């Protein structure tokens, strides 16, 4: 399809999804799933995932009563317009202005520079009638920083942009992927006026007289929508990783290459140790991210309830966990989808394998909702603050509770003596705790050598990111272990999940061996025992690998992959797909007479000469 066809087809699908949501007797969860599933990624997704939550989180009761009924009935379609051409990561650097005019009791929205143009918001370019706009609030000449405003963008009768608004699509994006069905847009304001009551005023306010009333709660609650989406992205990473691993595992069981004895059947590539070494950690990651995503959803729900009661104690933890796990899981999943493509050899590069499309649609997850490095630096800031408070009498809690045992963890030596010890949850956990703590403390010690802490932080950015990642990997391993300690139904399921848990943990030890050795968290002999145990675990998982991906219960339609078909009937279906290609509509291709024939004939003529 052309981009316009792709876009229009997504509109058709989105409206169909909305029709189903209204006609079917769905639970709220089913309705939410359908909204996200049917439209991924599309304007409907962002209306529900960002526009509506922003109003819920930052609007007053009156504003919620006015705008949510319209949004819930989709009588208005909204987007989340924060990022600008010149600023995305640095939210406090946004340039769009919202200047209060007491004469008219209005805000004047303006894009003072080209870099202040809103740029990237999904659904902004062509679909949305409204937006939550983030702009610098100015009253009486004073800049109060970035605040949220609900703004109508288009005429509700003919969808034309309102006067003072220039709006459009930012153009084709990466690959041929489904993200080109999304109208990520640009928007400029030219002294565009909105009523004062369209500033989202649950946190901060502007009175009729133009007096700015700052928030009496942490200003970062304005970032709440991003935190909520980051939390969902972790579970999304598990889904995307599971899709890729399902395709690669099923195909690895179907594909045979080399190894035939005396003309016998060739070897399934899934039996090669290199294939297992690349594939099974990704299978384990899909399960690991699902379990940590379940826990993160609990953490986010808990912090939301606490915020309702003005209890901000766990807000820093929630921010650090959503930021860090979003960063870590999306990076791992993007790399994992590409690895799954490679695991499928040449056929993995075909569009009909489903992997190029999945990769093209998935990889922006490393950037949207926060660049992954920028988010890990937020985790690092949180860890440095926690380390600085050790010994202050304030015991670290939650995911940093292990730091409360710093005295032990800084000097303990791993008691791993044999390969089987690497199946001991307490020993594995302590290894990851020691590595994470020692990396964080090493950063803190190096930071303390700088007179200027900000300068020190800037100098040590790369080390800080690695310490943050070590902390996040500890969280994932620990939540997998906790999951195994709970009730798990199904004969033999717990044993298989145990294998996957230790494959996840031990593959990380192998991948980040430098960290574990340089922090003396383990010795090289213990590392060798870990590798030995890893190989043994691969052998145990192998017989159940296909069952473990079948357990994701993805339909062939959802997987969209000839290689990942449930029935394994790959080769005939590859031909079937190939013959559908328009190039095969004729046996002699368009262009033969204009280009190929003259070339050949010219060659023949010169040959005769
Ligand atoms: C197969 C699947 C296919 C497709 C996938 C389908 C769906 C996927 C699911 C979802 C996709 C959905 C949407 C995609 C569309 C994308 C939307 C967007 O991208 S929206 C825009 C996102 N933008 C960002 O994330 C910007 C990142 N930057 C920031 O968040 C801030 O600028 C940053 C935190 C980096 C800095 O903020 P600043 O105000 O400068 O704070 P500072 O660093 O100075 O810290 C001060 C203080 O505040 C604390 N803090 C910071 N942020 C938060 C927070 N969010 N919550 C709580 N606290 C916060 C910070 O820790 C510090 O505290 P201390 O002073 O240290 O105590
Ligand atoms: C598909 C897609 C959909 C999007 N949808 C929306 C949307 O609906 N609404 C919306 O508002 N936005 C949206 N965005 C924008 C997105 O949120 C931003 O692109 C993202 O936050 C990254 O910001 P940036 O582009 O400014 O990156 P930059 O910050 O410019 O990143 C560039 C490089 O600089 C590095 N860097 C930046 N700051 C630092 C630092 N302090 N220390 C070290 N390194 C640093 C980064 O790590 C990165 O390597 C979308 C983006 C994409 C790709």
């Amino acid at each position: 399809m052309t981009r316009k066809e792709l876009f229009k087809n997504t509109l058709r699908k989105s409206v169909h999804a909305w029709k189903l949501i209204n006609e079917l007797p769905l639970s709220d969860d089913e309705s939410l799933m359908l909204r996200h599933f049917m439209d991924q990624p599309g304007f409907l997704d962002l209306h529900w995932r960002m526009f509506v939550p922003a109003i819920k989180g930052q609007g007053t009761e009156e504003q919620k009563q006015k705008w949510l009924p319209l949004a819930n009935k989709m009588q208005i379609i909204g987007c989340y317009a924060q990022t600008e051409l010149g600023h995305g990561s640095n939210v406090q650097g946004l340039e769009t202005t919202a200047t209060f005019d007491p004469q008219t009791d209005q805000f004047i929205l303006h894009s003072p520079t080209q870099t202040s143009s809103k740029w990237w918001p999904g659904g902004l370019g062509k679909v949305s009638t409204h937006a939550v706009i983030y702009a610098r609030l100015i009253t009486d000449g004073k800049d109060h920083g970035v605040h949220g405003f609900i703004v109508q963008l288009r005429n509700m009768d003919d969808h034309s942009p309102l006067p003072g608004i220039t709006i459009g699509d930012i153009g084709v994006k990466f690959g041929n992927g489904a993200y080109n069905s999304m109208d990520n847009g640009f928007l400029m304001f030219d002294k565009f006026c909105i009523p004062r009551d369209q500033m989202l005023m649950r946190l901060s306010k502007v009175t009729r007289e133009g007096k700015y009333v700052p928030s009496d709660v942490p200003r970062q609650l304005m970032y709440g929508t991003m935190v909520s989406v980051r939390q969902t992205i972790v579970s999304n990473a598990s889904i995307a990783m599971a899709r890729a691993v399902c395709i690669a595992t099923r195909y690895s069981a179907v594909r045979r290459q080399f190894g035939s004895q005396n003309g016998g059947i060739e070897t399934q590539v899934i039996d090669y140790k290199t294939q297992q070494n690349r594939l099974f950690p990704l299978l384990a990651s899909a399960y690991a991210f699902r379990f940590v995503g379940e826990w993160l959803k609990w953490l986010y729900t808990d912090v939301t309830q606490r915020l309702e009661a003005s209890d901000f104690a766990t807000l820093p933890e929630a921010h650090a966990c959503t930021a860090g796990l979003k960063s870590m899981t999306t990076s791992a999943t993007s790399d994992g989808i590409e690895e799954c493509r490679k695991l499928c050899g040449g056929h993995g590069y075909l569009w009909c394998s489903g992997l190029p499309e999945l990769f093209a649609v998935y990889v922006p997850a490393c950037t949207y909702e926060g660049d992954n490095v920028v988010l890990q630096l937020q985790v690092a800031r949180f860890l440095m603050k926690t380390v600085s408070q050790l010994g202050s009498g304030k015991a670290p809690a939650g995911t940093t509770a292990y730091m409360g045992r710093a005295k032990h963890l800084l000097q303990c030596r791993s008691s791993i003596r044999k390969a089987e010890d690497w199946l001991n949850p307490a020993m594995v956990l302590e290894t990851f705790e020691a590595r994470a703590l020692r990396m964080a403390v090493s950063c803190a010690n190096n930071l303390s050598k700088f007179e200027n802490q900000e300068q020190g932080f800037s100098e040590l950015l790369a080390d800080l990111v690695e310490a943050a990642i070590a902390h996040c990997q500890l969280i994932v391993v620990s939540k997998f272990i906790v999951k195994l300690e709970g009730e798990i139904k199904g004969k033999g399921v717990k044993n298989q999940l145990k294998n996957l848990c230790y494959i996840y943990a031990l593959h990380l030890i192998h991948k980040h061996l430098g960290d574990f050795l340089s922090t003396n968290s383990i010795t090289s002999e213990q590392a060798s025992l870990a590798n030995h145990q890893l190989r043994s675990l691969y052998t145990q998982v192998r017989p159940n690998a296909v069952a473990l991906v079948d357990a994701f219960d993805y339909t062939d339609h959802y997987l969209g992959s000839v290689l990942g078909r449930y029935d394994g009937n790959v080769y005939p279906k590859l031909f079937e797909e190939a013959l559908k290609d328009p190039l095969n509509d004729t046996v002699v291709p368009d262009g033969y007479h204009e280009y190929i024939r003259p070339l050949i004939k010219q060659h023949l003529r010169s040959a005769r000469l």
Side-chain angles (χ1 to χ4, degrees):
M1 286 185 251
T2 65
R3 176 130 198 253
K4 278 184 157 182
E5 288 165 342
L6 190 62
F7 174 72
K8 192 173 180 182
N9 189 45
T10 300
L11 294 183
R12 177 187 64 78
K13 288 196 296 182
S14 304
V15 170
H16 178 65
W18 181 242
K19 184 169 171 289
L20 288 177
I21 288 167
N22 283 295
E23 285 173 358
L24 297 176
L26 299 174
S27 69
D28 286 349
D29 277 354
E30 287 165 333
S31 168
L32 190 67
M33 169 70 82
L34 189 57
R35 284 201 291 262
H36 291 167
F37 179 87
M38 291 288 284
D39 183 58
Q40 239 176 4
F43 74 89
L44 204 61
D45 192 24
L46 294 180
H47 172 86
W48 291 106
R49 205 191 282 268
M50 300 206 78
F51 177 70
V52 170
I55 296 170
K56 283 182 177 173
Q58 297 157 49
T60 62
E61 284 312 311
E62 296 75 21
Q63 289 171 326
K64 287 190 273 191
Q65 285 165 19
K66 174 178 179 182
W67 294 103
L68 288 181
L70 297 170
N72 287 336
K73 295 191 194 100
M74 295 212 76
Q75 290 168 348
I76 62 174
I77 300 174
C79 64
Y80 183 90
Q82 175 179 290
T83 302
E84 294 173 354
L85 191 61
H87 293 92
S89 291
N90 181 7
V91 177
Q92 291 310 313
L94 295 178
E95 296 175 84
T96 302
T97 57
T99 306
F100 181 66
D101 178 357
Q103 303 300 319
T104 60
D105 196 25
Q106 290 179 321
F107 288 105
I108 303 164
L109 291 176
H110 189 59
S111 304
T113 60
Q114 189 176 51
T115 49
S116 69
S117 309
K118 290 300 174 187
W119 188 279
W120 270 115
L124 174 65
K126 293 297 173 188
V127 176
S128 291
T129 62
H130 290 69
V132 170
I133 298 283
Y134 287 87
R136 312 200 68 80
L137 171 64
I138 297 169
T139 66
D140 194 21
K142 185 171 172 22
D143 182 336
H144 302 287
V146 174
H147 290 71
F149 302 81
I150 185 161
V151 182
Q152 180 177 342
L153 307 173
R154 292 176 180 274
N155 180 305
M156 297 305 284
D157 293 326
D158 64 11
H159 209 61
S160 60
L162 294 177
I165 283 182
T166 304
I167 197 166
D169 183 272
I170 64 173
V172 175
K173 295 164 289 268
F174 182 95
N176 199 20
Y179 240 109
N180 283 302
S181 62
M182 173 81 89
D183 55 324
N184 297 88
F186 64 80
L187 162 66
M188 281 88 84
F189 293 110
D190 180 9
K191 299 184 177 52
F192 181 79
C193 295
I194 60 172
R196 179 171 56 87
D197 70 1
Q198 286 183 213
M199 170 183 164
L200 295 174
M201 293 203 206
R202 179 180 173 200
L203 305 176
S204 311
K205 295 177 179 50
V206 171
T207 66
R208 172 64 191 87
E209 297 69 36
K211 181 177 181 315
Y212 176 66
V213 180
S215 166
D216 55 3
V217 296
R219 70 171 171 83
Q220 284 76 17
L221 290 181
M222 181 190 73
Y223 294 156
T225 306
M226 295 187 281
V227 174
S228 71
V229 177
R230 290 169 188 157
Q231 176 259 324
T232 64
I233 288 175
V234 174
S235 298
N236 233 277
S238 166
I239 293 169
M241 180 76 98
R243 283 172 64 176
V245 165
C246 182
I247 293 167
T249 300
R250 287 178 175 169
Y251 181 66
S252 297
V254 167
R255 183 68 168 177
R256 291 177 180 275
Q257 202 71 194
F258 295 114
S260 69
Q261 305 300 325
N262 309 321
I265 196 166
E266 292 181 80
T267 301
Q268 289 170 283
V269 297
I270 198 170
D271 287 327
Y272 290 121
K273 286 298 181 187
T274 46
Q275 194 84 353
Q276 294 176 7
N277 190 46
R278 293 158 63 197
L279 179 60
F280 291 167
L282 299 179
L283 172 59
S285 300
Y287 278 88
F289 296 168
R290 184 186 186 104
F291 299 147
V292 79
E294 288 171 354
W295 168 80
L296 192 63
K297 184 174 183 181
W298 167 84
L299 180 74
Y300 178 74
T301 305
D302 179 73
V303 76
T304 304
Q305 289 164 353
R306 290 169 181 266
L307 294 179
E308 292 295 327
S310 299
D311 171 1
F312 307 110
T314 59
L315 184 60
E317 159 105 336
H319 168 48
C321 288
T322 49
L325 292 171
K326 178 270 180 189
S327 174
M328 196 204 86
T329 57
T330 55
S331 290
T333 300
S334 297
D335 294 346
I337 295 169
E338 168 60 1
E339 189 63 25
C340 285
R341 180 190 67 78
K342 291 186 280 190
L343 281 159
C344 294
H347 305 337
Y349 192 64
L350 284 168
W351 196 259
C352 66
S353 76
L355 290 163
E357 164 79 355
L358 180 55
F359 183 78
V361 168
Y362 188 78
V363 290
C366 296
T367 307
Y368 60 53
E369 261 1 301
D371 167 83
N372 280 355
V373 166
V374 168
L375 293 182
Q376 285 300 5
L377 289 170
Q378 286 291 307
V379 178
R381 178 172 176 154
F382 172 70
L383 293 177
M384 290 306 101
K385 193 166 185 178
T386 304
V387 170
S388 70
Q389 293 168 348
L390 294 179
S392 67
K394 180 186 175 193
T399 55
T400 56
Y402 68 98
M403 292 191 166
R405 292 183 282 110
K407 193 163 184 294
H408 167 70
L409 288 172
L410 285 172
Q411 62 187 3
C412 66
R413 288 287 173 269
S414 171
S415 51
I416 298 280
R417 294 288 175 273
K418 55 188 184 304
E420 295 70 38
D421 290 342
W422 280 117
L423 301 179
N424 177 318
M427 289 182 173
V428 169
L429 211 45
E430 184 167 88
T431 302
F432 275 81
E433 289 175 341
R435 170 236 191 172
L437 179 78
R438 294 176 190 187
M439 290 178 75
V441 168
S442 170
C443 284
N445 291 340
N446 290 333
L447 209 46
S448 65
K449 295 168 186 165
F450 289 84
E451 277 184 34
N452 176 319
Q453 287 299 286
E454 285 304 309
Q455 185 207 345
F457 200 89
S458 292
E459 191 61 31
L460 296 170
L461 287 181
D463 298 342
L464 287 160
V465 166
E466 288 180 4
I469 290 169
H471 174 72
C472 292
Q473 288 174 346
L474 164 60
I475 295 173
V476 179
V477 170
S478 69
K479 299 311 173 189
F480 207 150
I481 290 172
V482 166
K483 183 71 179 182
L484 293 176
E485 287 161 357
E487 186 200 356
I488 291 178
K489 295 187 178 68
K491 184 174 177 306
V493 173
K494 183 170 248 186
N495 286 339
Q496 288 311 312
L497 291 182
K498 272 184 184 171
N499 289 340
L500 293 178
C501 176
Y502 294 110
I503 284 174
Y504 181 74
L506 300 187
H507 108 273
L508 285 180
I509 289 176
H510 183 76
K511 185 175 178 184
H512 298 273
L513 191 53
D515 290 349
F516 288 93
L517 294 176
S518 63
T519 56
N520 296 314
S521 302
I522 61 172
T523 65
S524 54
E525 292 72 23
Q526 289 165 333
S528 301
L529 291 172
N531 285 342
H532 178 80
Q533 185 55 256
L534 205 44
R535 286 192 298 275
S536 165
L537 287 164
Y538 292 158
T539 304
Q540 293 173 62
V541 161
R542 165 65 186 91
N544 295 281
V546 173
L548 285 164
V549 298
D550 288 352
F552 296 135
D553 198 20
Y554 292 145
T555 63
D556 283 351
H557 174 77
Y558 180 66
L559 277 182
S561 168
V562 170
L563 305 188
R565 295 173 56 84
Y566 184 79
D567 64 8
N569 189 27
V570 170
Y571 294 144
K573 290 298 179 183
L574 278 177
F575 260 104
E576 202 176 291
E577 282 303 310
L579 294 175
K580 290 177 188 170
D581 191 284
L583 267 184
N584 292 318
D585 289 351
T586 58
V587 289
V588 175
D590 292 353
Y592 166 72
H593 292 286
E594 296 92 323
Y595 304 107
I596 299 172
R597 184 176 177 77
L599 191 64
I600 295 172
K601 287 300 174 197
Q602 176 193 351
H603 168 66
L604 291 177
R605 272 196 303 280
S606 60
R608 275 199 296 277
L609 291 175

